[in-house]
Amino acid sequence: MTGTFVRVALDHPLPTLFDYHWNAPEPAGPGMLVSVPFGKRDVVGLVCEVAAHSEVPADRLRAVNAVCTACPPLSSEWLALAAFAADYYQRGLGEVALPALPQALRDAARWPRLLAPEERYSLTPQGRAALPDALPARATALRNLAEALAAADFLLAADARALHPKAIATLAAWQAEGWVALDLVDAAAALPATTSGAAEPQTLPTLTGEQSAAVEAIRDARGFAPFLLHGVTGSGKTEVYLRALAAILAADATAQALVLVPEINLTPQFEAAFRARFAALADTAIVTLHSGLAEGERARNWFAAHACRARIVLGTRLAVLASLPRLAVIVVDEEHDPAYKQQEGLRYSARDLAIYRAKQLGLPVVLGSATPSLESWWQAEQGRYRRLTLSRRAVADAVLPTVRLIDLEDERRRGRASMEGLSGPLIAALKTRLERGEQSLVFLNRRGYAPQLACDACGWVAGCPRCSAYVVLHKPERALRCHHCGWESRIPRSCPDCGNVDIAPLGRGTQRVEETLASAVPGARVLRIDADSTRRKGSAEALFSDVHAGEVDILVGTQMIAKGHDFQRVSLVGVLNADTALFSHDFRASERLFAQLMQVSGRAGRAGLPGEVLVQTRYPRHALYHALGRHDYVGFANSTLAERRDAHLPPFVYQALLRAEGRTLEAALAFLQQAAAELAGIPAAERVTVYDAVPLTIVKVMHVHRAQLLIESASRAALQATLRAWQPLLRGLKGVLRWSLEVDPLDI
Ligand code: ADP
Ligand code: ZN
Ligand code: ZN
């Protein structure tokens, strides 16, 4: 059949494009969003190809319903990025591309409103004369609004609302006074912001020699240039990003930058630093993209990037798939952080996609960390990434803390006093800090009160009825909670099996340590920060600002307190219960532990106070703790890499996991065994090692039994070719509820 046809990607597990007849008035082009009939429904799809022929018989070929004219087409580079991710992670193109778009674009009913022009408010000359003096002195929020209007050429409705919840009503009133003018501008067609990032009103710190060298290397890079910025905690990596971006954005008034951070909710100071530094850009030229944003705001920010109005996009892993037509540089801060790995749906690594994106476009990409992932470190060792080193703390007088190991066995042998898992030396050190008016951190990677509730008399342990897991005791919430499925129940008064009333918590979580600290260090103001204490939106930020304001003496928490914070008054860090990760079955556990301990140690002594780290351990001679004591990332990385090489583990081999979920464990395992048998017919699989199918550590979650099959190869090409050939065979197998493939899994 001839005419105009489009091949459309739909959010559907079949990895094919779907042909449609094109009879819309506008010319067809790749990257356009269309509404098409699919089965009995209409769905939104993405045009990938335009063709003059279709193989689909005329009677089965349907026509495109509507075209989203409000959204400029996605670029061919963006389509290529989505296609790469789809191929690499063994998904359909539409399954990658469509979920990466804002919800408003994926719903054709909402397209007409996308066209709604953007409202821009600006001050009239009368308004400039009258405001803010006409406002009551104590109307701070209104005054802020007036000042923001005076400072910028215009305010978008969204920006105004962010300043003041009733801003629109106020602006309407001011408009009636003749103080404010309202213009309507076509949002999607708006031109790139042309203000340059050159003017920097702040007084900038003088860069250290190492910082300057790093900034120059990034600024002067041409073509694809991957950098590994290895800088100790407090060495001023952020300053390097800021200066390099300022140079790149100033050199090209339309250039865009993408800055990825592991968790944006935890790094408001990071966002503040960017906003302050790039104050010369319009407010709307810096946008954030993360899952914590309201849907409308996320759509606006996505659009701003797509329409090139946003110059800097600051986001979490999902931002790596944002449309940035003028992208000129990418930064991945804390590149080692496991949060860059999406753990459901499309299981991608945002860091790896960032590198692909830079390669595709020929750009510099900066991976920053005090403890780079061994994957990245190995790339640098081979000379594939250029290493930039910041070996000292940036602030004069700030030195890395001393690390002291407290031998728990020795403490016990000597009969030294301890309290509920807090050793004597740690309690003494905490008291000293309290007397000196300094702050302490106590780090423990386990939330809740106790990981188990048990009966001494009969051996009963409280378990989840839906999972093969113990439930965690949460004392303030007076509940037992399953951390795998969310099941919750009241705390029983007696053992449900034998009636014994002496049931007792076993082990320690952050809540219990918080309780112990309150009595062990009398007079200390103790604050706990973990996923439980920060459940409400914005509460983490509020708690952290209490710490910064000096209203807290001891902060106890999980890895949430370890990340990125620049605490000025912390001089002591205590580490509890780190040993459990030393002997984990997961070969990455020690790498993660080392990174976490380096990170949390890095919170101490940042602003000139001498810092100390106390690690409670039963294995004081363990190599990991020794490397920590010497702040020796390089030694740790190189010896761990040597072990990995000997054991044929990543990054020396490439892995993929097939996971199956069944009603019984037998069903899941049987599926995996059949899947393994199918590999025999795939030529590329000759270079692939197949392991036995095994149950997951937590076999059952929500009544579903889970098992996995690991395959690996020293050849990336052989692994990918195997997966490509395997995928259609797997679709023919039956007997499980779900199965999924994961490429480059982090948790095995
Ligand atoms: P990192 O991200 O490497 O841990 P930060 O970027 O948080 O380090 O910087 C640590 C501190 O050093 C911050 O307070 C920052 O303002 C300060 N700083 C960075 N560079 C300099 C410099 N060249 N001179 C003085 N202070 C600096
Ligand atoms: Zn009992
Ligand atoms: Zn459960």
Side-chain angles (χ1 to χ4, degrees), residues 406-694:
I406 303 172
D407 182 344
L408 291 177
E409 276 308 311
D410 191 48
E411 290 290 310
R412 194 185 54 80
R413 259 196 315 274
R414 291 166 192 258
R416 290 222 185 107
S418 70
M419 199 168 163
E420 286 266 357
L422 295 182
S423 66
L426 178 57
I427 294 173
L430 288 166
K431 285 181 175 161
T432 312
R433 292 323 188 282
L434 180 65
E435 281 157 21
R436 295 209 296 244
E438 297 166 12
Q439 293 176 312
S440 305
L441 293 186
V442 175
F443 169 67
L444 168 72
N445 228 344
R446 187 186 275 155
R447 66 192 172 84
Y449 188 82
Q452 289 172 24
L453 180 68
C455 168
D456 238 6
C458 75
W460 169 85
V461 182
C464 176
R466 305 193 290 207
C467 308
S468 55
Y470 296 130
V471 285
V472 177
L473 175 62
H474 284 253
K475 203 170 173 188
E477 301 94 328
R478 295 213 208 111
L480 294 173
R481 253 188 213 159
C482 174
H483 285 191
H484 301 279
C485 75
W487 181 83
E488 217 178 273
S489 81
R490 305 252 297 275
I491 302 169
R493 281 172 210 278
S494 59
C495 171
D497 280 6
C498 74
N500 171 25
V501 290
D502 277 342
I503 49 175
L506 280 185
R508 258 172 292 279
T510 44
Q511 292 175 348
R512 195 171 191 179
V513 172
E514 177 189 19
E515 188 182 276
T516 309
L517 282 167
S519 50
V521 191
R525 295 164 299 174
V526 181
L527 176 73
R528 170 170 58 89
I529 296 192
D530 56 25
D532 298 308
S533 73
T534 56
R535 223 166 271 282
R536 276 180 306 106
K537 196 182 171 202
S539 57
E541 207 170 332
L543 294 179
F544 280 117
S545 65
D546 289 350
V547 183
H548 289 294
E551 285 158 22
V552 173
D553 301 309
I554 304 177
L555 178 62
V556 53
T558 55
Q559 37 83 28
M560 282 182 77
I561 65 172
K563 284 184 185 177
H565 291 280
D566 197 4
F567 299 122
Q568 297 291 316
R569 282 176 244 217
V570 170
S571 63
L572 174 71
V573 170
V575 176
L576 309 183
N577 216 2
D579 289 345
T580 41
L582 291 178
F583 306 102
S584 165
H585 66 281
D586 182 344
F587 71 87
R588 282 197 177 85
S590 62
E591 177 184 352
R592 263 197 299 265
L593 175 65
F594 186 76
Q596 278 181 352
L597 295 184
M598 289 281 277
Q599 281 293 329
V600 72
S601 305
R603 302 309 112 205
R606 286 170 81 89
L609 293 173
E612 190 178 27
V613 179
L614 297 186
V615 182
Q616 298 195 164
T617 174
R618 286 177 208 290
Y619 307 94
R621 271 164 293 281
H622 198 284
L624 187 147
Y625 293 134
H626 272 255
L628 179 73
R630 296 191 308 268
H631 306 285
D632 185 12
Y633 167 81
V634 176
F636 174 81
N638 290 339
S639 65
T640 310
L641 275 177
E643 286 167 22
R644 296 260 189 103
R645 186 202 292 270
D646 290 345
H648 300 283
L649 287 170
F652 301 96
V653 295
Y654 306 103
Q655 298 183 322
L657 268 185
L658 175 62
R659 283 207 184 80
E661 299 185 359
R663 287 193 201 288
T664 63
L665 178 59
E666 290 67 36
L669 290 172
F671 173 90
L672 295 176
Q673 275 140 16
Q674 289 175 50
E678 296 284 1
L679 286 169
I682 300 174
E686 277 170 27
R687 296 170 65 198
V688 168
T689 309
V690 184
Y691 290 85
D692 288 338
V694 291

Side-chain angles (χ1 to χ4, degrees), residues 92-137:
L93 174 55
E95 280 184 296
V96 174
L98 290 155
L101 302 175
Q103 204 59 43
L105 281 179
R106 301 179 59 200
D107 179 0
R110 290 161 68 179
W111 289 350
R113 264 177 295 146
L114 291 175
L115 264 178
E118 204 166 70
E119 295 163 356
R120 294 184 174 187
Y121 295 91
S122 53
L123 278 185
T124 59
Q126 298 92 304
R128 258 179 219 288
L131 289 171
D133 300 337
L135 301 173

Side-chain angles (χ1 to χ4, degrees), residues 5-282:
F5 303 93
V6 284
R7 307 225 153 89
V8 178
L10 302 177
D11 187 0
H12 188 274
L14 270 187
T16 47
L17 298 179
F18 298 86
D19 284 16
Y20 288 91
H21 190 87
W22 182 275
N23 48 19
E26 46 283 284
M32 290 176 132
L33 286 166
V34 288
S35 164
V36 293
F38 188 70
K40 291 200 173 66
R41 296 176 304 140
D42 288 336
V43 296
V44 169
L46 178 64
V47 175
C48 293
E49 293 164 24
V50 180
H53 299 276
S54 173
E55 300 299 314
V56 180
D59 57 333
R60 283 185 47 209
L61 199 67
R62 300 164 81 179
V64 166
N65 296 328
V67 183
C68 181
T69 45
C71 181
L74 287 142
S75 66
S76 56
E77 287 86 2
W78 192 85
L79 290 176
L81 170 69
F84 169 81
D87 179 58
Y88 189 87
Y89 294 110
Q90 304 297 318
R91 287 297 183 119
L93 174 55
E95 280 184 296
V96 174
L98 290 155
L101 302 175
Q103 204 59 43
L105 281 179
R106 301 179 59 200
D107 179 0
R110 290 161 68 179
W111 289 350
R113 264 177 295 146
L114 291 175
L115 264 178
E118 204 166 70
E119 295 163 356
R120 294 184 174 187
Y121 295 91
S122 53
L123 278 185
T124 59
Q126 298 92 304
R128 258 179 219 288
L131 289 171
D133 300 337
L135 301 173
R138 304 204 4 229
T140 330
L142 291 182
R143 282 178 166 264
N144 284 346
L145 184 62
E147 273 159 28
L149 268 174
D153 293 339
F154 60 84
L155 276 186
L156 294 179
D159 293 333
R161 238 178 267 120
L163 287 169
H164 189 313
K166 297 212 179 87
I168 303 304
T170 304
L171 288 167
W174 290 354
Q175 198 185 345
E177 296 278 353
W179 295 342
V180 161
L182 171 62
D183 298 302
L184 297 177
V185 181
D186 185 348
L191 291 169
T194 47
T195 1
S196 96
E200 285 165 348
Q202 293 177 319
T203 45
L204 304 181
T206 311
L207 295 182
T208 65
E210 288 176 329
Q211 281 176 319
S212 306
V215 170
E216 281 161 27
I218 300 163
R219 184 198 62 199
D220 297 340
R222 294 291 168 267
F224 173 52
F227 292 99
L228 182 61
L229 178 63
H230 176 220
V232 299
T233 51
S235 60
K237 292 185 284 295
T238 312
E239 192 61 38
V240 171
Y241 308 145
L242 289 168
R243 296 288 179 100
L245 258 54
I248 292 169
L249 296 187
D252 173 350
T254 61
Q256 295 179 300
L258 174 62
V259 181
L260 297 179
V261 294
E263 275 162 81
I264 215 155
N265 292 316
L266 296 182
T267 50
Q269 29 173 28
F270 203 78
E271 186 185 338
F274 272 77
R275 293 210 181 272
R277 184 63 57 90
F278 293 98
L281 295 180

